[in-house]
Amino acid sequence: MADGLQPVTGVKKTQFCSWSATLVDSLDTLYIMGLYDEFDAAVNATLTIDFAHNANHCIVSLFESTIRYLGGLLGAYDLSGHESLVGKLVEVGDMLHGAFDTPNGLPCSRCPLAAKTTGEQFEAGKAVPMADLGSLYLEFGRLSQITGEPKYYEAVERLAHVFSDNQPYSTIPGLWPETINARVGPNDTAFVGRSFRYSIGAESDSSYEYLLKAHMLFGSITSIYSDMWQAAAHSIRSTLLFRAMLPPSTTQHAHRGTLFSGIASRPPSEEDITVEPRTHHLSCFAGGLFALASRIFSDPDDLEIGRQLTQGCIWSYLHSPTGIMPETLTLIPCPDLDVQCAWNETEWLSQRQLRDSECDSLFCPPVNYPEGYHFVRDARYLLRPEAIESIFVLWRLTGDEYYRDTAWMIFQSIIKHTRTPYGHSALSSVLETETREVIEGGRVVRRELAVLADDMESFWFAETLKYFWLIFSDVRDVDLGEWVLNTEAHPLRPVKGWRGF
Ligand code: DMJ
């Protein structure tokens, strides 16, 4: 019943107010894998969690609790129809809904929600990661559909209008900056005046994902989400994407185009947008998202963008010495987005040397970079799912066996390097190895393996293992034509032709 486990030492971990995050996040994975006895036992344990109270006045992360706890319960309910879960859904939903009890109706993203007293109000933050605000529509809306109680949907609909009203007023219209000022009055464009950095990676990622997916769930009553998606997708295509100088590939799909997404900046005083060619593992979901959008809006160009973005992440995995992509990766950009530039080893070496000479020892451990990698600021692997998520979506939408073959290679690398006595662990670097003793076939052997960080986030079960499983299972399991997956891979069932309340 702990939130998580440190899989090297076996020590339990408190992370999300001690409401058993791993258990709740794993429910629907158990169901999808056909582990029904374990699912029933986990549901029974879930029914004993008291989400309405927290004696320690724990600060609740609205975003993490929405995607993991509420999303986990919704996925389990929508898949299994277990009516006993409805009471817990309402308990979690009401506790999280208290976050919207603020003077301006925008939610507090970090407040002691379970300790809220009647009449007490919170305040929304002045500098909130955009993803914390923009990734709530699916779960609150689906909760309203299930319960028939409109207040959850109405709360996020108000939020969607604030995002929509401000979309044209950032310094890169169409995109919202990484940090949002949520303590604003109505029609106040200070909402997007907090920062001038834009990406689809850390801080922003799922808020773009939720535009398309909210359209899939609620598009029958409103065009607000599809309109925001179309404007955002246009700006993502024209400002964030770049091609990189890559060595001639030895993989079977060397001819495939390869795209990455970077970090754009534009202070109000500047005419030009600058793009830092640093990609994030977190942004690897975007390939699958563009591919999905191509189906929803019948646009073959977006399938190609999705395919090439996914290829960028696959390239980053297959060219790392451990076969695993780091948390962030800086590349050498091609001058023209439309043309793949040629590999130039001399140029790559000189840019590498230049980079090393600028480094201090804190950010630049002496590692051998694979060809094409320019610089890695964060070499960890946190058991994240985004690359395999896109590979899964591309597999389901194209039927191209390349994606299954690639998934299998990546799966083998991840399992090999992350396995521990009690589970699987995050890695402190995918670029360096140490000699470790492991048990293989009942014998102790010494292997060169990545260094373990002794952490296992619940999304390892909720997402990473689920996506790997679904790539190799029957294509009718969690059919993408019938389900909408939240950002934690919890399947939500759309109501066909929903007419609202
Ligand atoms: C998950 O909690 C979700 O996928 C979220 O959108 C981003 N971070 C993790 C996985 O990396």
Side-chain angles (χ1 to χ4, degrees), residues 116-406:
K116 185 175 185 302
T117 51
T118 317
E120 183 185 6
Q121 278 210 320
F122 297 119
E123 236 183 339
K126 278 182 164 172
V128 186
M130 176 197 166
D132 287 11
L133 285 182
S135 319
L136 306 170
Y137 315 127
L138 302 188
E139 297 81 358
F140 279 78
R142 184 72 192 114
L143 182 58
S144 278
Q145 289 178 331
I146 290 170
T147 59
E149 164 55 74
K151 71 177 182 185
Y152 312 107
Y153 179 76
E154 286 168 359
V156 290
E157 192 185 38
R158 281 196 301 275
L159 184 59
H161 279 283
V162 178
F163 268 88
S164 169
D165 291 348
N166 280 278
Q167 191 173 20
Y169 298 110
S170 70
T171 58
I172 304 184
L175 306 181
W176 299 268
E178 288 177 346
T179 307
I180 295 289
N181 178 0
R183 205 175 295 175
V184 291
N187 310 320
D188 187 341
T189 54
F191 185 72
V192 288
R194 193 76 217 181
S195 87
F196 310 105
R197 266 167 57 105
Y198 304 80
S199 83
I200 49 174
E203 317 256 281
S204 307
D205 44 7
S206 43
S207 30
Y208 293 105
E209 175 185 358
Y210 273 31
L211 302 177
L212 180 70
K213 292 186 172 178
H215 169 66
M216 293 165 75
L217 275 187
F218 316 123
S220 58
I221 61 162
T222 174
S223 66
I224 191 170
Y225 301 106
S226 60
D227 291 345
M228 282 197 276
W229 163 257
Q230 296 293 3
H234 174 79
S235 298
I236 292 169
R237 289 186 212 100
S238 59
T239 55
L240 296 181
L241 306 189
F242 68 96
R243 289 187 195 283
M245 189 174 80
L246 305 176
S249 180
T250 51
T251 63
Q252 53 170 326
H253 281 262
H255 60 281
R256 286 174 183 253
T258 309
L259 278 171
F260 300 90
S261 83
I263 303 168
S265 303
R266 185 178 173 216
S269 53
E270 298 283 319
E271 195 55 31
D272 295 329
I273 298 170
T274 51
V275 179
E276 185 188 348
R278 173 154 53 103
T279 196
H280 251 269
H281 195 291
L282 281 164
S283 66
C284 284
F285 77 98
L289 190 69
F290 270 90
L292 204 54
S294 81
R295 281 298 166 93
I296 303 295
F297 299 113
S298 305
D299 181 349
D301 291 349
D302 273 354
L303 180 61
E304 189 53 26
I305 289 178
R307 202 178 62 70
Q308 296 198 24
L309 280 169
T310 304
Q311 193 57 26
C313 296
I314 291 174
W315 180 89
S316 308
Y317 266 81
L318 300 187
H319 286 76
S320 141
T322 51
I324 304 172
M325 179 182 173
E327 182 75 350
T328 67
L329 169 60
T330 302
L331 297 135
I332 298 173
C334 294
D336 186 344
L337 176 64
D338 295 323
V339 184
Q340 177 60 50
C341 50
W343 173 247
N344 179 335
E345 185 161 5
T346 317
E347 167 73 7
W348 173 70
L349 281 172
S350 87
Q351 294 229 26
R352 279 267 342 104
Q353 277 161 9
L354 182 66
R355 183 76 230 201
D356 278 349
S357 67
E358 288 169 356
C359 282
D360 59 40
S361 55
L362 190 63
F363 283 122
C364 303
V367 288
N368 285 326
Y369 283 96
E371 279 191 336
Y373 275 42
H374 181 200
F375 178 64
V376 173
R377 178 171 290 185
D378 187 345
R380 294 174 301 162
Y381 173 61
L382 303 179
L383 301 173
R384 288 198 192 281
E386 291 78 15
I388 199 61
E389 170 180 349
S390 285
I391 293 170
F392 160 70
V393 175
L394 266 291
W395 155 244
R396 285 293 183 88
L397 296 187
T398 66
D400 186 341
E401 284 288 344
Y402 165 72
Y403 293 110
R404 286 227 278 208
D405 294 344
T406 308

